[in-house]
Amino acid sequence: MRLHTLKKQLILSLIAVIFTSLTGFSQAKNYNISVQWQPIQNNYEGKNQSLSELSILNGSENDLPPTGWSLYFNYGADILKPDSRGLTMSFINGDLYKIEPNAASDGISAGAKINFQMIKTGSIDNVTQSPQGFYIVFDDSPNKAVPVKCTYPDPSSEFINALPASKTWMDPAFVYSKNRDIQNIPTSKLPPIFPTPLTIKVNAGEFTISQNTGIAADSWFSKEATYLADELAKVLISRPSMNKQGHIVLKRDSKLATEEYKLQVTVTGIQISASSPAGAFYAIQSLKSLIPPLSWKTKQASIAIQLVDVNDEPRFGYRSFMLDVARNFQTKEQILKVLDLMSLYKLNVFHFHFSEDEGWRVEIPSLPELTQVGSVRGHTLDNKDNLQPAFASGGVSNQMPGSGFLSRKDFIDVLKYATTRHIQVIPEIESPGHARAAIKAMENRYAKLMKAGKAAEASRYRLIDPLDKTKYRSVQGWEDNVMDVALPSVYNFVEKVTDDLILMYKEAGAPLKTIHYGGDEVPPGVWEKSPAYEKLKSISPAIKTTNDLWYYYFGRLNEMAKKRGLFISGWEEAGMRKTMQDGKPTYIANPDFGNQHFQLHVWNNVIGWGAEDLAYKLANSGYKVVLSPVSNQYFDLAYTSSYFEPGLKWGGTVDLDKPFYFIPFDFLKNVKEDGQGRPIKNLDQTKMIRLTDYGKSNIVGLQGLLWSENNVTAERLEYMLLPKLLGMAERAWAKEPEWAMGEGSALNDLYYTNALTTFANSVGKRELPRLNYYHGGYSYRIPDVGLKSDNAKVYANIQLPGLTIRYTIDGSEPGSGSTPYTGPVSDKGKLRFAAFDTAGRRGKVTEIVNK
């Protein structure tokens, strides 16, 4: 038997060798394939399109044959030229493309490369607009993805110089002019608490906190007292104790408003007064703001606190940050770090965007396939067991950030952590669009149960009708991402997920008042050929067109939510109705839900698109509105228009000043740029709706948003988030500023000469040094240095005073030991500058030639 088995193995091995020689290659040859991508020209051939070049390099000792392999990658673009150099490019779905040899291919010889030309619609404006996530698959191993390294050399000087940004944010002199209005203010002259309190009186003297400083609290504030002791233990050698004779006293005052507090620091101690635990918690954050910023670097025996009298409460009761972990995943630890940041700046709502086309990130015990399938991205030919790659996640499955999810326990931990910090977590179940991860997961469930002979159970939570022949494509390129809301099983699914979430909130002891059910960007034409739609239409007189399915869907969700003591949250489309005006389709506020406490997160105010006043229209119509405008609060947009600045740009750019200069009740008054980042002096508002006093009462608060298409690491998340979040936190908490009440030049004079300078100094000298060490430190963005040459001298400045500018005169890159800039530099030649924070991290290098 052993001899027979050996002969059989030898025969099989021989067959394999013969097959390999016939086919010309095998993955066993371990090909070393890499790619290089570089933009070549915008306005290519005089059209609104761009040319780039993808070089495919064969660094192997073996020739890559003319057949038998495919190169995959992600690119958020419509590519117009699919054939080049014997290769064909084809669109798959979403942002996934494939390049494979065609009949004209002669392969790629060992050590050689092919330059593949790519033409896409629109221009290439920055580094984010590049293909990523390359991997190769060989036909003899169709289920195995081999990662392919991609390099991105800088574009040619001709390409850079042709960009509009070359004359603005890529020009050090332009950056210098933008920074010119920001004056240096001594730290001692800055407001000692951020966000700015309603009233504050700074008194002479200090109170010293040490491990001997006890904490006393009314029983009403026992949790907050414990939290305070834990926070002080992070900066003191020993944790303060709880005792009735404490020098820090938390006292209840029922006369104060819910989130109002008083903070008094005297030479004998500290007293916090509030009517609610939330108010006491915000007083603690203000007390932490009084602690010297570098105290979190190393523990010390004692800390001196400025004497103050503070009376404070927020302007808006809803101060929110939305984090998308669906498109690219972030761990529980990183989410907790974000929650700590939010609590420091008194934000009280965490909008948790955990479901999307590209991922489902919270375990739902009743429907385990949602994470078994919907949280995993990797190479697939059918999307049955995992999702296809997206946003540079690559072909290898179960790797972050494409794959990952929070277990039930993890999510409960997040809820508990947030609740301790008085942050309400609003989960988002994206529906009926942006639902591809859920759809594919439920198709996997359907197939398993059908195989087990459980047909009724298999269909219970199915989200699509397989007989629906409708063709559509979403804004993000998906052709299969919308639930069929005519199916009863869709409502079974939404109810089941809702009920599982409710159970987790109850176990965590976390409040749950609303669930966000999505509602945005359902592409035109959806459901038109759905048999389920035709069936429903035949028995429901109210449904005459597919447009009516929209109102039918949210009407049923509203009934379901009310039975569970919840109200509906959604994107703006959830409160809109499609109708006709002058023979053209248009949207109006849907009167059906205006008095149903629908809470709409209104994002679409892209300047120049025609919906700039949409938030005010909806608020005037009775909808509760959370202002979430792309123009000022989309933190995933690039800080500047520089080619080398990462981030999306479809809605313009968002630097830290845009959230800061946002005027919630009249934001069109202070618009400075259009949706392409071009300056606007006076926006034409003659046809735009103004906010009424009634509408003003429906503006519940503000929200900053961070979508995660490009957040491939925790560091990138923090870079895009900070310091932008600080401007939004100030606008959400502080009273309406004096400058916002001015008009024209008076508004601008007050803003630039006082408000912006104070804010920039506070961020640079107090908040960023604190954030270098708070919760382990945050990788915030360090701005570029502005430079100008005048009379043979080089002048430098920075957007955020407090950062240290350093430079070199020998062409080398500045380091933490390079010469600090203290005044004009007369040295000749190539001078290189960069800004450094107090932890020694460096921003981008800027250079100038001084002749």
Side-chain angles (χ1 to χ4, degrees):
M1 288 294 293
R2 288 182 179 176
L3 181 61
H4 176 75
T5 302
L6 181 60
K7 287 181 178 179
K8 186 176 180 180
Q9 290 175 341
L10 289 172
I11 291 170
L12 289 173
S13 298
L14 181 61
I15 291 172
V17 170
I18 294 171
F19 178 78
T20 298
S21 63
L22 289 174
T23 58
F25 78 101
S26 165
Q27 192 162 348
K29 288 184 178 179
N30 192 26
Y31 286 98
N32 178 20
I33 307 299
S34 61
V35 297
Q36 178 178 288
W37 182 85
Q38 190 172 34
I40 303 299
Q41 185 181 343
N42 285 322
N43 300 311
Y44 182 61
E45 296 178 337
K47 302 176 183 178
N48 182 29
Q49 60 185 21
S50 53
L51 172 69
S52 61
E53 189 170 77
L54 182 72
S55 299
I56 307 173
L57 297 85
N58 179 10
S60 318
E61 296 180 355
N62 303 298
D63 295 343
L64 189 66
T67 60
W69 54 274
S70 299
L71 181 67
Y72 294 83
F73 62 94
N74 298 116
Y75 198 12
D78 289 327
I79 300 176
L80 305 177
K81 187 174 183 180
D83 295 302
S84 178
R85 296 295 305 275
L87 301 174
T88 296
M89 180 183 296
S90 57
F91 169 74
I92 297 176
N93 204 354
D95 67 344
L96 188 62
Y97 284 86
K98 175 174 69 172
I99 295 175
E100 57 191 339
N102 57 35
S105 170
D106 55 4
I108 305 177
S109 302
K113 70 176 180 178
I114 283 181
N115 293 327
F116 184 92
Q117 288 194 328
M118 301 167 67
I119 300 174
K120 80 167 192 71
T121 56
S123 60
I124 300 170
D125 298 318
N126 73 355
V127 292
T128 295
Q129 295 175 295
S130 59
Q132 300 179 52
F134 288 87
Y135 66 94
I136 194 168
V137 175
F138 296 93
D139 288 2
D140 62 352
S141 300
N143 296 313
K144 183 175 182 181
V146 180
V148 170
K149 180 181 179 182
C150 184
T151 56
Y152 302 90
D154 289 346
S156 66
S157 58
E158 290 80 10
F159 178 87
I160 292 293
N161 291 335
L163 292 171
S166 68
K167 301 174 181 62
T168 56
W169 287 103
M170 298 183 71
D171 179 4
F174 177 84
V175 176
Y176 186 93
S177 69
K178 297 292 286 186
N179 295 338
R180 190 172 48 210
D181 290 322
I182 298 171
Q183 305 301 311
N184 189 41
I185 300 176
T187 304
S188 60
K189 301 294 184 182
L190 295 174
I193 294 176
F194 183 87
T196 306
L198 189 62
T199 66
I200 180 171
K201 180 183 178 184
V202 178
N203 301 314
E206 297 175 332
F207 172 74
T208 300
I209 299 177
S210 69
Q211 63 265 37
N212 298 320
T213 304
I215 300 173
D218 290 351
S219 58
W220 191 255
F221 300 135
S222 59
K223 291 181 180 179
E224 285 63 44
T226 299
Y227 168 83
L228 174 57
D230 291 340
E231 290 298 287
L232 291 176
K234 295 173 182 177
V235 294
L236 293 173
I237 293 173
S238 298
R239 184 179 187 272
S241 61
M242 304 288 182
N243 61 67
K244 294 182 179 180
Q245 304 302 319
H247 295 91
I248 302 178
V249 178
L250 282 69
K251 179 181 178 182
R252 189 179 185 199
D253 183 347
S254 60
K255 296 178 182 179
L256 299 178
T258 302
E259 292 185 302
E260 186 181 4
Y261 71 87
K262 291 183 179 180
L263 171 64
Q264 294 175 298
V265 182
T266 68
V267 292
T268 58
I270 298 172
Q271 180 168 299
I272 289 171
S273 303
S275 66
S276 72
F281 182 82
Y282 299 133
I284 291 170
Q285 303 315 307
S286 290
L287 177 58
K288 287 162 57 179
S289 193
L290 290 169
I291 294 175
L294 296 182
S295 298
W296 280 266
K297 183 177 181 179
T298 56
K299 292 187 177 184
Q300 47 241 279
S302 63
I303 294 173
I305 304 294
Q306 176 70 51
L307 304 188
V308 293
D309 286 307
V310 179
N311 192 321
D312 196 13
E313 65 178 323
R315 182 182 185 187
F316 292 102
Y318 192 102
R319 306 175 301 280
S320 176
F321 170 62
M322 189 222 75
L323 179 63
D324 167 19
V325 300
R327 290 188 168 112
N328 278 313
F329 183 63
Q330 296 290 338
T331 65
K332 180 183 79 171
E333 292 71 25
Q334 185 62 29
I335 293 169
L336 299 185
K337 194 175 180 185
V338 168
L339 290 171
D340 252 356
L341 182 71
M342 291 176 60
S343 67
L344 179 64
Y345 296 112
K346 304 185 178 79
L347 303 182
N348 65 348
V349 179
F350 180 50
H351 178 170
F352 191 38
H353 189 90
F354 71 79
S355 65
E356 254 295 348
D357 293 322
E358 300 84 10
W360 183 286
R361 307 302 188 179
V362 172
E363 179 186 17
I364 304 298
S366 300
L367 300 172
E369 296 84 2
L370 285 171
T371 45
Q372 291 171 354
V373 175
S375 76
V376 181
R377 292 210 300 260
H379 178 66
T380 176
L381 299 176
D382 55 22
N383 288 268
K384 290 182 177 179
D385 297 317
N386 62 264
L387 307 179
Q388 70 180 53
F391 305 124
S393 59
V396 180
S397 61
N398 291 310
Q399 291 187 354
M400 281 189 59
S403 300
F405 69 95
L406 297 181
S407 68
R408 184 179 188 277
K409 180 184 180 302
D410 287 339
F411 185 56
I412 289 173
D413 287 345
V414 168
L415 293 176
K416 289 179 177 178
Y417 200 85
T419 302
T420 298
R421 287 152 181 77
H422 295 275
I423 295 173
Q424 174 191 173
V425 179
I426 296 182
E428 181 175 355
I429 306 170
E430 266 282 27
S431 67
H434 287 277
R436 189 174 187 270
I439 289 169
K440 296 304 178 184
M442 292 301 95
E443 286 300 284
N444 177 281
R445 180 183 184 277
Y446 173 83
K448 286 190 300 185
L449 291 173
M450 287 296 291
K451 189 175 181 179
K454 300 178 180 179
E457 182 61 25
S459 299
R460 186 182 302 274
Y461 303 111
R462 205 172 189 189
L463 301 177
I464 57 171
D465 185 341
L467 300 179
D468 184 0
K469 304 302 180 184
T470 305
K471 299 293 183 184
Y472 63 85
R473 187 177 179 188
S474 75
V475 174
Q476 287 77 21
W478 295 110
E479 299 173 341
D480 52 358
N481 76 330
V482 183
M483 300 176 181
D484 189 337
V485 299
L487 292 170
S489 52
V490 166
Y491 303 93
N492 295 338
F493 172 83
V494 176
E495 288 182 8
K496 177 58 67 176
V497 174
T498 297
D499 288 341
D500 270 25
L501 287 171
I502 289 173
L503 289 174
M504 286 186 265
Y505 275 76
K506 285 183 177 178
E507 184 171 330
L512 182 62
K513 301 176 183 178
T514 182
I515 291 178
H516 195 294
Y517 289 101
D520 67 324
E521 296 185 328
V522 172
V526 168
W527 309 312
E528 287 180 350
K529 297 181 179 180
S530 164
Y533 157 62
E534 293 294 340
K535 180 180 178 180
L536 184 62
K537 184 168 65 169
S538 69
I539 61 175
S540 301
I543 296 178
K544 297 179 175 60
T545 71
T546 54
N547 291 336
D548 297 322
L549 283 177
W550 191 252
Y551 325 126
Y552 172 80
Y553 178 66
F554 276 99
R556 287 197 58 172
L557 288 192
N558 191 32
E559 293 174 6
M560 181 269 295
K562 282 182 176 180
K563 290 177 182 178
R564 290 158 174 79
L566 304 173
F567 63 85
I568 295 288
S569 288
W571 301 110
E572 60 240 34
E573 291 96 323
M576 296 171 69
R577 177 178 284 275
K578 185 180 289 186
T579 185
M580 301 294 289
Q581 183 177 27
D582 299 329
K584 298 179 181 179
T586 187
Y587 281 97
I588 62 171
N590 187 353
D592 294 354
F593 305 130
N595 62 351
Q596 296 292 308
H597 198 97
F598 268 42
Q599 185 164 283
L600 303 179
H601 297 234
V602 184
W603 65 266
N604 185 7
N605 77 323
V606 182
I607 310 303
W609 282 14
E612 294 89 341
D613 58 353
L614 178 59
Y616 296 163
K617 286 181 180 178
L618 290 166
N620 289 347
S621 299
Y623 286 95
K624 302 300 180 184
V625 169
V626 178
L627 296 173
S628 311
V630 62
S631 64
N632 296 69
Q633 313 286 29
Y634 264 41
F635 299 159
D636 56 302
L637 297 184
Y639 280 87
T640 74
S641 59
S642 168
Y643 177 84
F644 300 103
E645 188 64 52
L648 300 178
K649 293 181 61 179
W650 62 269
T653 61
V654 174
D655 202 348
L656 88 160
D657 62 327
K658 279 197 175 178
F660 180 72
Y661 71 58
F662 182 69
I663 303 175
F665 294 150
D666 197 3
F667 70 85
L668 296 176
K669 170 182 176 179
N670 203 31
V671 169
K672 301 180 187 299
E673 295 178 345
D674 66 11
Q676 298 302 309
R678 295 171 297 213
I680 289 180
K681 288 188 177 180
N682 294 297
L683 180 67
D684 183 6
Q685 302 182 47
T686 54
K687 296 181 180 180
M688 295 182 188
I689 298 296
R690 302 279 295 174
L691 188 64
T692 64
D693 287 345
Y694 170 69
K696 191 178 295 186
S697 71
N698 288 319
I699 303 293
V700 298
L702 309 185
Q703 176 168 258
L705 308 93
L706 183 55
W707 302 99
S708 72
E709 291 96 325
N710 299 295
N711 293 335
V712 295
T713 63
E715 290 75 20
R716 173 58 63 82
L717 181 157
E718 293 173 5
Y719 179 97
M720 301 307 296
L721 178 59
L722 290 166
K724 297 179 188 182
L725 182 74
L726 303 184
M728 193 279 290
E730 174 74 2
R731 288 285 73 79
W733 182 273
K735 66 181 180 180
E736 184 174 22
E738 183 181 353
W739 59 263
M741 303 176 198
E743 296 290 341
S745 60
L747 181 154
N748 287 324
D749 290 346
L750 284 170
Y751 175 75
Y752 286 111
T753 59
N754 187 6
L756 181 60
T757 287
T758 300
F759 173 64
N761 276 268
S762 293
V763 170
K765 294 182 178 180
R766 293 183 54 83
E767 301 314 312
L768 296 189
R770 189 188 324 273
L771 294 177
N772 280 330
Y773 305 104
Y774 192 82
H775 200 127
Y778 293 84
S779 301
Y780 55 80
R781 177 184 183 264
I782 298 173
D784 298 352
V785 175
L787 300 172
K788 78 165 185 176
S789 179
D790 185 23
N791 198 25
K793 292 182 179 180
V794 173
Y795 295 77
N797 64 10
I798 193 73
Q799 181 189 43
L800 299 174
L803 297 169
T804 300
I805 300 174
R806 298 181 182 275
Y807 69 96
T808 61
I809 60 175
D810 59 1
S812 62
E813 292 202 345
S816 58
S818 297
T819 306
Y821 175 83
T822 57
V825 180
S826 301
D827 297 87
K828 302 296 186 274
K830 181 188 290 186
L831 309 183
R832 309 188 79 185
F833 291 76
F836 292 77
D837 67 15
T838 56
R841 283 195 314 120
R842 188 186 75 186
K844 295 185 181 72
V845 176
T846 306
E847 61 182 48
I848 189 171
V849 176
N850 191 29
K851 298 178 180 179

